[in-house]
Amino acid sequence: MVVLATVIAGSLWLVFDIVIALLFYSTALLLLVIYHLYYLMSLDRWLQIPDPTSAALPDGSGAWGNVFARLARLMRNQSQSQQQLSLALERLRRATSAMPEGVTILDESDRIEWCNPVAENHFGIDSKRDVAQQITFLVRQPQFAEYLLTHDYSEPLVVKQKRHQELILSLQFVPYGDKQKLLISRDITSLEGVETMRRDFVANVSHELRTPLTVISGFFETASEEGWISSEMGKRALALMTDQTGRMQRLVEDLLTLSRLENTQNQIREESINVTEILYELYHEAESLSAGRHHINLTLDTDVKLWGSPDELRSAFSNLVSNAIRYTSDGGKVDLRWSCQNGKGVFVVQDTGIGIDQEHIPRLAERFYRVDLSRSRGTGGTGLGLAIVKHILSRHQAHLEIISEPGKGSSFSVWFPEKRSIAQEDE
Ligand code: ADP
C-alpha cells in the first residue's frame, strides 16, 4: 500500500506539482493509519473476551485476516493442550486419592505441598488448611523427627499415631527431584496385631517350656552325679539326653531374649557402658570356651565408653566371640579389637576360621539360618545368635559389617553411631 501510494504520489509530482503529490501522499498515509487502528482495536476487543476461542473471529482483510486466523489457531492449540494437561492432572489426582497408601508431597524444607485423603486421615490433617505446614509439627513423635534427619530411608519407620491410639503406621520417605520428598504412609495396625500375636505365642510357649526343662535337666544331672544308671548304654543315653536338654534350654533362653528385644514397649535402658571392662570379661570367657585350642588376642585402641544397655551389648559381643571360637578350628586365631574411628566406636571380632560364602552373608542374621546345619548343631548353636545380635544393634542404631572368605576366616565389625560414644573428657 505504502509503495503504491509512493508511486502514485511520484507520478502526480511529475504530471502536476509537488503540493498535489504531498496532499495525496498524506491523505493516503492517514487512511492507512486509520485502517490499522481499526483492526488493532478489533483485536483488542476480541482479546478482552474471557474465552476468545469461543467468540467469532473478527473479520479482517489482507494481512490482518491472516494475523487473526493464525492467532485463533495458536489459541485453539493452547487451549487444547491446557485441557489435556488438566485431564492428566485430574486423572493423577484421582489415582493418588484412590491409593490405599497415604501420599504426602513435601518441599525441600519438609513442608507439606499436597496430600491425598488417606494421608489426611493418617495424620489428622487437612490438605487445604495445612499446606505449607512443617510435617514435624503435625507428626510429633520424636523418632519421626530423628528418622527424617537420618536421610537413610531404606527401612520404613513404624509409629503409633497419638491421635488414634490404635493406629499403627509404617512411614517411608522417597526422595525425588530437587530435595523434595514423598512421604508414603501405610496402616499396618492389623499386620502388627498378627505380629504381636506371633511374638506373644513364641514368648508364652518358651516361658512354659522353661520350667519342665529345668526339672528334666536337674533330674539328668542328679542321675549322672549319683550314678543311678550303671550300664554303658544307659550312661550314653543319659549323656545324650543331658546334651539335648541343654540345647533345648539354650533355644528357649534365646527365644525369650529375642521376644524381649522385639517388644517395642521394652525400651532400652540407657547408661554409660565401660566397654573395656566388658571386653576383658569376654576375653576370659573366650579363653575358657576355647580351652587353649585357639590363640586369642584382645587389643584396646581406645577407652571410649558407650551409651546404651550394658547387658544387651555384652550379649551381642558375646555371641560374636563365641561364634568366632566355635567356627574356628583348633590352632586358629581370634582377635578382638575395640577402637574409635572418626568418633565412632568399632568392635571387631576377626577369626581365621572356616569362613562364609558370599551368598550366605546377607541372610546370616535371619532366625535359624545356618550355612551348615550339622556343623552349627555340633558346635551347640541355636541358629538365633546373629538374629539377637542384629536386634540389639538396631536398638543402639549400630550396624554390623561382615567380611568373610571361605577357608580363610571372617571379620564381624560393629559400628556404633558417633552420638553413642562418650569420650573420657565428656564424663
Ligand atoms: P548358630 O547358633 O548356628 O551359630 P548364629 O545366628 O550365631 O547361629 O550364626 C548363623 C550362622 O552364621 C551359623 O550357623 C554359621 O553358619 C555362620 N557363622 C556365624 N559366625 C561365623 C563365623 N565366625 N565363622 C563362620 N561362620 C559363622
Side-chain angles (χ1 to χ4, degrees):
M1 290 267 261
V2 178
V3 177
L4 187 65
T6 314
V7 172
I8 296 176
S11 316
L12 286 174
W13 187 4
L14 288 178
V15 178
F16 301 102
D17 63 7
I18 188 159
V19 179
I20 292 175
L22 278 176
L23 213 63
F24 171 79
Y25 198 55
S26 334
T27 317
L29 284 182
L30 187 69
L31 285 174
L32 202 65
V33 169
I34 292 170
Y35 165 82
H36 283 304
L37 264 179
Y38 169 76
Y39 281 113
L40 261 178
M41 276 156 71
S42 310
L43 176 66
D44 185 48
R45 266 199 309 278
W46 185 58
L47 288 177
Q48 276 174 20
I49 302 169
D51 179 12
T53 45
S54 63
L57 193 68
D59 281 331
S61 61
W64 279 102
N66 287 340
V67 169
F68 287 147
R70 270 194 214 124
L71 258 178
R73 208 168 36 243
L74 256 174
M75 287 172 96
R76 246 195 328 273
N77 287 349
Q78 198 192 16
S79 136
Q80 263 170 10
S81 17
Q82 232 166 25
Q83 263 174 12
Q84 277 166 359
L85 206 67
S86 316
L87 278 175
L89 267 175
E90 181 56 21
R91 272 203 302 274
L92 200 69
R93 198 188 62 75
R94 282 211 212 120
T96 38
S97 297
M99 271 171 82
E101 278 101 11
V103 183
T104 310
I105 298 178
L106 303 175
D107 67 10
E108 62 275 17
S109 312
D110 302 321
R111 285 186 299 240
I112 298 176
E113 274 187 348
W114 179 86
C115 70
N116 71 353
V118 184
E120 284 185 311
N121 191 28
H122 284 167
F123 303 120
I125 55 177
D126 184 321
S127 61
K128 294 195 178 69
R129 185 194 63 211
D130 293 319
V131 157
Q133 276 270 24
Q134 197 77 29
I135 186 73
T136 42
F137 289 168
L138 301 164
V139 186
R140 302 198 73 99
Q141 282 86 339
Q143 68 268 42
F144 178 76
E146 246 174 56
Y147 178 61
L148 182 61
L149 289 177
T150 57
H151 297 287
D152 173 13
Y153 310 127
S154 48
E155 291 289 323
L157 172 77
V158 175
V159 292
K160 210 174 218 172
Q161 253 309 39
K162 286 220 172 90
R163 286 166 219 260
H164 328 261
Q165 257 315 310
E166 66 288 353
L167 186 68
I168 299 172
L169 294 176
S170 157
L171 307 176
Q172 192 157 21
F173 287 109
V174 183
Y176 75 97
D178 191 17
K179 292 193 181 153
Q180 282 151 301
K181 293 183 197 80
L182 274 182
L183 171 59
I184 309 291
S185 50
R186 292 183 192 91
D187 179 354
I188 54 160
T189 315
S190 50
L191 266 180
E192 272 297 297
V194 175
E195 184 63 10
T196 310
M197 255 167 60
R198 179 195 65 76
R199 271 201 300 264
D200 288 351
F201 177 74
V202 174
N204 289 339
V205 169
S206 315
H207 196 77
E208 291 300 323
L209 283 173
R210 214 180 192 180
T211 319
L213 278 173
T214 315
V215 174
I216 297 171
S217 94
F219 174 79
F220 288 155
E221 217 172 283
T222 323
S224 85
E225 275 169 17
E226 304 276 315
W228 290 351
I229 294 168
S230 52
S231 75
E232 267 318 298
M233 209 167 102
K235 277 185 187 159
R236 269 210 305 281
L238 188 64
L240 197 67
M241 285 192 288
T242 311
D243 201 41
Q244 290 305 315
T245 317
R247 207 172 95 71
M248 274 169 83
Q249 278 181 310
R250 283 198 298 281
L251 250 173
V252 163
E253 287 309 321
D254 278 0
L255 281 172
L256 280 171
T257 307
L258 260 181
S259 298
R260 266 198 304 276
L261 292 170
E262 277 180 336
N263 190 345
T264 42
Q265 309 288 327
N266 187 0
Q267 290 289 321
I268 154 175
R269 247 188 29 250
E270 309 262 344
E271 53 184 280
S272 158
I273 309 170
N274 190 338
V275 182
T276 313
E277 215 172 273
I278 292 183
L279 292 185
Y280 271 124
E281 284 169 23
L282 286 181
Y283 171 73
H284 291 301
E285 272 175 31
E287 288 276 22
S288 89
L289 184 67
S290 154
R293 290 176 294 125
H294 309 90
H295 305 284
I296 305 172
N297 281 312
L298 170 65
T299 313
L300 297 167
D301 288 339
T302 177
D303 56 1
V304 85
K305 292 184 176 177
L306 287 177
W307 266 120
S309 157
D311 293 342
E312 288 187 13
L313 280 194
R314 192 181 193 292
S315 153
F317 290 179
S318 161
N319 267 308
L320 295 178
V321 175
S322 97
N323 276 355
I325 292 181
R326 288 189 295 117
Y327 296 106
T328 302
S329 346
D330 295 358
K333 256 179 77 181
V334 174
D335 289 325
L336 317 179
R337 181 182 285 268
W338 175 234
S339 60
C340 187
Q341 291 181 32
N342 300 326
K344 295 177 179 169
V346 194
F347 174 57
V348 183
V349 182
Q350 187 152 20
D351 63 52
T352 55
I354 58 170
I356 309 155
D357 242 327
Q358 281 305 310
E359 59 175 292
H360 298 292
I361 292 181
R363 300 194 57 193
L364 284 188
E366 286 174 23
R367 286 147 199 246
F368 300 114
Y369 187 85
R370 276 101 154 207
V371 175
D372 177 350
L373 186 62
S374 58
R375 164 123 203 170
S376 162
R377 282 201 178 141
T379 62
T382 59
L384 295 171
L386 288 181
I388 293 177
V389 172
K390 189 181 126 192
H391 270 283
I392 295 177
L393 298 191
S394 91
R395 278 159 73 86
H396 288 80
Q397 298 80 45
H399 77 271
L400 183 65
E401 196 180 84
I402 308 173
I403 301 171
S404 190
E405 206 178 316
K408 292 237 165 100
S410 319
S411 133
F412 286 74
S413 310
V414 181
W415 289 79
F416 291 92
E418 212 176 326
K419 63 175 183 186
R420 292 229 162 247
S421 304
I422 319 169
Q424 292 299 18
E425 60 264 28
D426 296 348
E427 288 189 285

